[in-house]
Amino acid sequence: MSTTTLPPDGFNAAPKLADVLPPRKERGRIGMFIYRHPTIAVGGFMVSLFVLMAIFAPLLWTVDPTALAPARRTRPPSAQWWFGTDMLGRDVYSRVVYGARISLIVGFATAIISAVIGLTIGLISGFIRAVDAVVMRVMDGLMSIPSILLAIAMMALTRASVENVIIALVIADVPRVARLVRGVVLTLREQPYVEAAVAAGTRTPMIIWKHILPNTLAPVTVQATFFCASAMISEATLSFIGAGTPPIIPSWGNIMAEGRALWQVKPYIVFFPAIFLSITVLSVNLLGDGLRDALDPRMAKRI
Amino acid sequence: MSNSQTQASSRPLLEVKGLKKHFPIHGGILGGKVGNVYAVDGVSFSINRGETLSLVGESGCGKSTVGKAVLRLYPITDGEVMLDGRRVDNLPAGELRPLRKRMQVVFQDPFSSLNPRQRLRDIIAEPIVNFGMASGSELDDRVGDLLDKVRLPREAMYRYPHEFSGGQRQRIAIARALAPGSDLIICDEAVSALDVSVKAQIVNLLSDLQDELGLALLFISHDLAIVEHLTHRVAVMYLGKIVELADRKTLFGTPHHPYTRALLSAVPVPDPTVKRQRIILRGDVPSPINPPSGCRFHTRCPFVFDRCKTEEPQLRDVGMGRMSACHLDVVPDQVPEANRQAVAA
């Protein structure tokens, strides 16, 4: 601390802000963001590309992905059929582009729904001890069910649909979010700033809203991005084994399933959806990694 | 406030009588109660307006528990806490809430005592908003005044806590504690985590604020040098009990209880030429789960005799406004000759 700005006794006057804190570095907002969080920038950019691709699928030089043309089955990639055609003569490129819709819908829906439900359950059981014991045993029970098996069982009982895939994956993910949130809430409750808020007369709902919730959002967001990535893989797995998205709707999983039989002679039918799936999952995971680094309070000091 | 001051100038601001806080230990397959931690076991003291009472003792002696029990951050097991003559320990939450604005707290760790996701303005304004004491631009003015009081620039109110150093954050915590116009601030090891120079600044700030606002402070600390610098009275705690309570000069000048003497002899003196007799205590502090019978200090006391092991000494007035809990004060006849000489010396 500089002594020049302080009066002799050092305590009677407040110092100027500039003496207390260094001035903030000026940089363009977008430039600053990319500089500070390169992984979020790359991951976010790639995820948004895929989202745009899914939304504008009809405009991306695609044809009807379900149109059958037995006369031109299993054509290799060419100028006319960029990714070739499958066993029923459907355009693989169009199917892959439309398939992005299913992957992204399943990924985002699973992540958002399980985050919201898990957050609510976690907050409640972290705060109300009586509820905690019961709810957490139920969550333990749910967690012991493998998500893929649960999904297969649900498909066997009902009919195959995208909604059922989402429901099965949400049931598997909710307990994980709930446990995470509960753990965070239990540690946050003991934080001195929460105790100070109690001493300052803040009522419990406001404590949850102002002190607990904002501090749980970061880990939940990070967890949700990873659930999004793993939900995409699970959806592809389920569709691949025929227990997921019905074959009438193209999804990366069932495109691969249909190409599986011809894998050794016509590898491109499997190759293109697999590459798209990998790159999408990679970009969502990059985004998640970046968010984890950026939202970690210990990293917040890097201003 | 002036009204209550005139009618109750003789009444202590805070009075604690026989405070006990036992934490249950759960164990076994069914999670039943298998024991208690006797963290605080019958503590009584009082604090007057504008006065500083320090609570000193080793780690784990229950001094922080006393602070939190007074604030009612958890329910107490037994005893009474009176704020300005009104019993607060048994009030339902709704009736307790308005009284909370009269006592506030400053915690040890300035990094975890401020919500990292709130701006300074929201942190400091929280108690003011809770009690509906101001809003809008009036609230900003109040927060600005509080920042002035703790010698931080007003513009800082739009910044986040992580932009500040430990000492600055502790000033922010003090500003929050002052915000509702509190009469009593409980400083739970408030300067223990700070560097020596910053520590001195914060201690001076607290004394200045005390003079300016007539605050009472319950200063919980293990740092005897700081305590000697700012306190009016001192209570020494050992294993959940107060063993000695006296004025600063009396206690630091002529420590009386064997434990106090041992504690004071452990304070380093920054002068290598000073030769002094150290009283070295052997062993560790016994567990508060199963405290020793009789006098809790008997397992480590250099002057221990038979009675100490069976009968618990009470805190009594031993002259010069000093309270002490030791059998040596009452029945010197029973003390072996050698011990008596040691006590006299």
Side-chain angles (χ1 to χ4, degrees), chain A residues 1 10-24 190-203 206-207 210-212 214-219 295-297 300-303, chain B residues 68 71-73 97 100-101 103-105 107 109 111-119 126-127 129-131 147-148 151-153 155-156 158-160 162-164 168 171 176 200-202 204-205 208:
Chain A
M1 193 182 281
F11 288 106
N12 285 338
K16 296 274 178 291
L17 188 66
D19 298 328
V20 175
L21 291 178
R24 283 171 167 159
E190 305 294 320
Q191 287 292 307
Y193 62 79
V194 173
E195 291 190 322
V198 175
T202 311
R203 292 194 170 94
M206 272 319 252
I207 287 184
K210 275 166 57 181
H211 298 289
I212 307 281
N215 287 295
T216 47
L217 284 183
L295 295 174
D296 191 327
K301 284 179 197 148
R302 286 196 323 193
I303 278 283
Chain B
K68 289 185 180 177
L71 286 164
R72 233 183 82 173
L73 291 178
R97 199 167 165 266
R100 285 200 183 276
K101 66 176 155 224
M103 44 182 183
Q104 289 294 306
V105 61
F107 286 111
D109 180 6
F111 290 88
S112 57
S113 63
L114 306 174
N115 185 344
R117 303 202 180 272
Q118 280 187 309
R119 289 176 196 275
E126 185 164 350
V129 173
N130 282 341
F131 299 115
L147 285 169
D148 283 347
R151 286 38 152 177
L152 280 175
E155 305 91 303
Y158 303 108
R159 298 297 186 99
Y160 285 95
H162 66 79
E163 299 179 55
F164 295 87
Q168 289 164 352
R171 288 168 191 267
R176 172 178 59 191
Q201 289 175 16
I202 299 293
N204 288 338
L205 174 68
D208 289 355

Side-chain angles (χ1 to χ4, degrees), chain A residues 60-270:
Chain A
L60 295 171
W61 308 280
T62 53
V63 295
D64 180 2
T66 54
L68 305 181
R72 39 162 215 258
R73 292 177 310 184
T74 63
R75 297 287 166 87
S78 65
Q80 196 182 352
W81 303 290
W82 293 353
F83 295 172
T85 58
D86 68 5
M87 287 167 79
L88 301 169
R90 294 172 295 194
D91 179 28
V92 175
Y93 168 72
S94 304
R95 290 178 70 74
V96 167
V97 171
Y98 276 93
R101 291 183 166 182
I102 299 302
S103 269
L104 292 173
I105 286 172
V106 171
F108 289 145
T110 307
I112 293 169
I113 298 171
S114 53
V116 170
I117 300 177
L119 192 62
T120 316
I121 294 177
L123 281 176
I124 292 171
S125 65
F127 252 90
I128 307 168
R129 293 242 74 121
V131 179
D132 186 37
V134 180
V135 169
M136 278 302 132
R137 292 299 80 73
V138 174
M139 292 294 134
D140 286 347
L142 284 181
M143 247 208 274
S144 66
I145 307 170
S147 61
I148 299 279
L149 280 187
L150 178 69
I152 294 172
M154 277 187 62
M155 297 306 147
L157 290 173
T158 61
R159 62 192 178 80
S161 72
V162 177
E163 297 86 70
N164 278 346
V165 173
I166 295 172
I167 292 170
L169 295 175
V170 164
I171 290 175
D173 284 346
V174 160
R176 291 178 174 85
V177 181
R179 290 214 122 195
L180 174 84
V181 173
R182 173 181 171 270
V184 174
V185 169
L186 289 182
T187 35
L188 287 177
R189 277 179 63 165
E190 305 294 320
Q191 287 292 307
Y193 62 79
V194 173
E195 291 190 322
V198 175
T202 311
R203 292 194 170 94
T204 310
M206 272 319 252
I207 287 184
I208 296 178
W209 181 247
K210 275 166 57 181
H211 298 289
I212 307 281
L213 190 62
N215 287 295
T216 47
L217 284 183
V220 169
T221 311
V222 173
Q223 191 79 357
T225 53
F226 292 123
F227 284 158
C228 176
S230 82
M232 288 175 180
I233 292 185
S234 302
E235 185 279 325
T237 311
L238 288 169
S239 302
F240 186 80
I241 60 176
T245 316
I248 187 82
I249 308 169
S251 108
W252 291 340
N254 61 28
I255 303 171
M256 283 192 272
E258 280 156 18
R260 184 181 58 89
L262 295 175
W263 158 246
Q264 284 178 321
V265 281
K266 313 277 180 190
Y268 51 84
I269 305 177
V270 174

Side-chain angles (χ1 to χ4, degrees), chain B residues 3-25:
Chain B
N3 181 30
S4 66
Q5 236 170 4
T6 45
Q7 62 172 233
S9 50
S10 60
R11 191 163 63 193
L13 177 65
L14 177 78
E15 209 173 353
V16 174
K17 287 181 193 162
L19 177 71
K20 287 186 185 176
K21 177 65 194 173
H22 302 166
F23 294 99
I25 307 166

Side-chain angles (χ1 to χ4, degrees), chain B residues 193-213:
Chain B
L194 306 174
D195 286 351
V196 178
S197 59
V198 180
K199 202 180 269 196
Q201 289 175 16
I202 299 293
V203 165
N204 288 338
L205 174 68
L206 282 171
S207 321
D208 289 355
L209 289 171
Q210 181 166 48
D211 294 344
E212 200 179 317
L213 306 168

Side-chain angles (χ1 to χ4, degrees), chain B residues 302-338:
Chain B
F303 313 116
V304 64
F305 60 104
D306 297 346
R307 188 173 168 186
C308 301
K309 292 171 186 165
T310 51
E311 192 187 326
E312 193 167 330
Q314 298 303 311
L315 198 64
R316 344 182 150 68
D317 196 333
V318 291
M320 295 167 69
R322 186 205 302 269
M323 307 278 278
S324 172
C326 184
H327 289 311
L328 292 176
D329 302 330
V330 209
V331 278
D333 300 345
Q334 292 180 13
V335 183
E337 187 59 26

